[in-house]
Amino acid sequence: MSTEVRVRIAPSPTGNLHLGTARTALYNYLYAKRHNGKFIFRLEDTDNERSDEKYTKDIIDGLKWLGLTWDEGCDIGGPYPPYRQTEKIDHYERIADKLLQNGFAYLCYASTEELAALKEEQRVSGLPSRYDNRGREVSIEQREKYQAEGRVPSFRFRVEEPQDIHWDDEIKGPITVNSADLGGDMVIIKSNGVATYNFAVVVDDIDMQMTNVLRGEDHIHNTAKQLLLFEALNCKPPHFGHTGLIFDSNDRKLSKREHGELVHIDYYKTQGYMPEAIVNYLIKTSWTPPDDTMEKFTLEEACQMFDIKRVSKTHARFDMDKLNWYNSHYLRSLPLSTVTERARPYLTDFDLSEYSHDELEKLVDTLRGSLTKLSEIKAAGSFFFGKTVEVSDEMKSTVLSSSEAKKVLTETLSSISKMPFDDPAGVKQIVDSMGKELGIKGKNLYWPLRAALAGSTQGPDLGSMISVLGPTKVQARLEAALKNGGNGHV
Ligand code: GLU
């Protein structure tokens, strides 16, 4: 018998890729890599009404963006066989038939109205909502009557009560759930012929020989139900491990309803987060590396270090500041060519042909230290584009109108030919020694230059800024500032 580790991510395409699903995918991926096993993608698309191909695409794109690749499974147009539950509808029904034949399941003719009335009765009496197993005892005559009425049955699996269902959870340790808390006999095939989640998952996990299932703790009751199904089907269940969910600082579960787009990977992708930062952050939210002071690591490094026993048993806390900290770190430390390529889509409003490939890298390098996310580069870097720059009237009167400011601008203008534009530190030195000669320093020296060159007194290092702008733009902007107090649009 094969002992190869086989794990999966099994998203339902009923929404965009959620941070929690991405974290589950990461842990499964790390587990597979650490054990030289296989990581499999399966699409759980049996919910016809809520499933949508646009979500499938978002999920697949999001996982790939994070750097996750799978060894088998669904991939739009890709090389893998599509593991989609909707392609196995008949297979689930055949397995359900077996359960019917050996008495583990029965046909239930309860109508939607009857079930709703039962639920309402339980609500009024303050009882937990559950199926009362009424379908177990239907006489042959009654069944014929239902059939004559045109009722289409569902398949229900008998959940014998009470019984303790135990497993040794790979993350949380021993867990026991009593079958009396599982809501009564469970539907495994709905009256429309489609398998329910709990049934299809078990059939798939058996078919695909899953050895381990790592998922969120919101599935703990499902695991108990699934263990009963594995037993009835006479198959060895995988090892289960449940992670705590991700909560916000007010102890609310991260959800689309409460937190909107912030819960979706696509939001971070669009905002210019580095996938390396999201990966590092998500892994770290509830896993501690062997060296517990270690904060920064790549996906590959995590694959080497991953140990399921070091996954936290409790909730993770979503912390945007920490995520931003990671992102700033990766923006600064990833190869400049990577960050520049990723910056391009945020700079499409500008004429990028003003800069050569190398100059654009220098521009990005000048700005990346000040950014939290790449989308900010548009506002932070707009002044680099165009011959001249917009300077506000307030800036003109407060920073550019003094005779000292004019001296600084005039002197800089005549120093342009001496400036080593490929050496930001050298440029800065020239500005400083010019200031010394004029007896002007600090903000009286730097602000007029910043205002004239960038339209703002804030911004990246002055030497780098001048160096990136280059002699032509620097000259045009200084001249414009001297001529009309800053605004180049004469
Ligand atoms: N389709 C389920 C979900 O998206 C997967 C649960 C499982 O891993 O079994 O939550």
Side-chain angles (χ1 to χ4, degrees):
M1 212 184 90
S2 156
T3 51
E4 178 187 64
V5 163
R6 289 174 61 83
V7 296
R8 80 306 194 273
I9 183 68
S12 305
T14 52
N16 284 342
L17 180 59
H18 189 285
L19 284 174
T21 309
R23 188 187 55 158
T24 301
L26 280 165
Y27 288 157
N28 279 285
Y29 179 86
L30 295 177
Y31 194 90
K33 295 292 157 191
R34 182 65 205 272
H35 295 95
N36 290 320
K38 293 272 194 293
F39 173 59
I40 291 143
F41 183 107
R42 178 172 81 218
L43 200 64
E44 303 204 323
D45 57 348
T46 51
D47 185 343
N48 264 345
E49 272 158 37
R50 293 170 60 226
S51 294
D52 196 312
E53 272 307 282
K54 73 174 185 229
Y55 298 133
T56 302
K57 183 170 179 333
D58 179 86
I59 293 167
I60 291 179
D61 287 352
L63 292 173
K64 285 187 173 174
W65 179 73
L66 292 172
L68 300 184
T69 49
W70 34 96
D71 304 298
E72 296 171 18
C74 178
D75 197 350
I76 298 174
Y80 306 103
Y83 287 146
R84 288 175 182 256
Q85 290 186 329
T86 42
E87 298 191 355
K88 295 176 68 180
I89 299 294
D90 295 345
H91 177 62
Y92 301 127
E93 193 155 346
R94 272 196 299 276
I95 308 281
D97 265 330
K98 276 193 200 157
L99 291 177
L100 201 65
Q101 265 139 45
N102 50 29
F104 286 107
Y106 59 89
L107 295 178
C108 167
Y109 288 86
S111 66
T112 319
E113 294 73 30
E114 278 168 19
L115 294 175
L118 171 66
K119 199 168 175 184
E120 179 58 14
E121 233 170 74
Q122 289 165 340
R123 190 190 65 78
V124 170
S125 335
L127 294 168
S129 159
R130 54 163 288 145
Y131 176 62
D132 58 3
N133 300 349
R134 63 180 64 175
R136 285 186 183 195
E137 313 301 340
V138 174
S139 63
I140 297 177
E141 295 76 43
Q142 188 64 40
R143 187 178 314 151
E144 280 166 1
K145 196 174 145 250
Y146 286 147
Q147 279 167 351
E149 279 172 22
R151 292 197 192 196
V152 184
S154 57
F155 288 52
R156 278 194 191 260
F157 178 80
R158 287 171 189 270
V159 176
E160 300 306 345
E161 303 174 24
Q163 61 170 313
D164 277 341
I165 305 162
H166 288 288
W167 71 95
D168 198 8
D169 196 271
E170 289 204 277
I171 295 172
K172 290 184 178 286
I175 293 186
T176 303
V177 174
N178 196 287
S179 61
D181 297 328
L182 297 181
D185 293 346
M186 61 172 139
V187 175
I188 52 174
I189 302 281
K190 292 183 268 185
S191 54
N192 64 5
V194 176
T196 57
Y197 156 73
N198 274 309
F199 186 56
V201 158
V202 170
V203 174
D204 285 346
D205 285 342
I206 294 169
D207 291 348
M208 297 162 84
Q209 300 175 337
M210 292 300 162
T211 56
N212 304 73
V213 169
L214 308 177
R215 59 188 174 197
E217 67 183 5
D218 48 339
H219 284 290
I220 283 182
H221 276 77
N222 288 332
T223 298
K225 292 178 187 176
Q226 291 169 21
L227 282 168
L228 296 177
L229 286 163
F230 276 105
E231 199 182 347
L233 293 167
N234 203 16
C235 288
K236 187 170 170 256
H239 297 288
F240 288 97
H242 294 85
T243 59
L245 302 182
I246 310 179
F247 279 55
D248 71 8
S249 51
N250 295 320
D251 281 338
R252 290 174 313 178
K253 199 171 105 173
L254 274 200
S255 71
K256 168 95 197 292
R257 194 155 48 88
E258 295 281 350
H259 305 92
E261 284 310 308
L262 284 188
V263 304
H264 291 145
I265 288 293
D266 182 56
Y267 168 81
Y268 299 92
K269 220 168 130 184
T270 319
Q271 287 290 308
Y273 281 80
M274 302 294 96
E276 294 80 359
I278 305 280
V279 162
N280 195 158
Y281 173 71
L282 281 180
I283 296 177
K284 190 68 179 37
T285 50
S286 34
W287 176 73
T288 314
D291 166 3
D292 59 12
T293 59
M294 190 179 192
E295 297 265 25
K296 297 166 192 155
F297 43 79
T298 62
L299 183 58
E300 291 68 33
E301 286 164 346
C303 287
Q304 302 302 317
M305 299 184 287
F306 191 71
D307 174 0
I308 186 98
K309 296 286 171 252
R310 299 183 71 86
V311 172
S312 161
K313 295 184 193 329
T314 55
H315 297 147
R317 183 80 53 205
F318 183 70
D319 180 348
M320 189 60 111
D321 291 339
K322 190 73 192 245
L323 175 54
N324 286 340
W325 176 81
Y326 273 112
N327 205 46
S328 303
H329 162 72
Y330 282 101
L331 277 173
R332 282 177 186 79
S333 59
L334 282 167
L336 182 56
S337 55
T338 305
V339 179
T340 306
E341 277 321 298
R342 291 178 185 174
R344 279 181 187 274
Y346 299 98
L347 296 171
T348 48
D349 283 355
F350 309 117
D351 179 6
L352 288 182
S353 69
E354 289 177 23
Y355 292 97
S356 69
H357 175 82
D358 290 356
E359 286 167 348
L360 190 66
E361 285 200 346
K362 247 167 77 180
L363 185 157
V364 170
D365 203 19
T366 301
L367 294 170
R368 64 173 169 168
S370 63
L371 306 175
T372 305
K373 47 195 181 188
L374 216 35
S375 54
E376 292 164 0
I377 201 167
K378 182 176 165 185
S382 63
F383 73 87
F384 279 120
F385 295 90
K387 192 172 169 208
T388 55
V389 71
E390 199 72 38
V391 181
S392 69
D393 287 342
E394 200 200 335
M395 188 72 74
K396 284 182 205 163
S397 63
T398 55
V399 182
L400 292 174
S401 60
S402 71
S403 59
E404 253 189 353
K406 289 196 170 113
K407 262 191 225 164
V408 170
L409 301 183
T410 313
E411 266 316 296
T412 312
L413 199 51
S414 54
S415 312
I416 288 181
S417 57
K418 285 189 285 176
M419 285 190 181
F421 276 87
D422 53 355
D423 170 17
V427 168
K428 180 77 180 348
Q429 253 173 29
I430 293 210
V431 171
D432 285 338
S433 55
M434 176 195 79
K436 241 189 199 143
E437 271 168 37
L438 294 174
I440 303 173
K441 58 180 184 183
K443 63 182 192 179
N444 292 339
L445 174 64
Y446 302 131
W447 282 19
L449 284 172
R450 287 185 171 281
L453 296 173
S456 162
T457 54
Q458 313 285 305
D461 168 70
L462 185 63
S464 307
M465 200 165 104
I466 293 176
S467 158
V468 170
L469 280 168
T472 314
K473 283 183 182 160
V474 169
Q475 179 170 347
R477 293 177 187 202
L478 293 175
E479 281 172 359
L482 281 165
K483 197 163 166 191
N484 62 6
N487 194 347
H489 307 289
V490 201

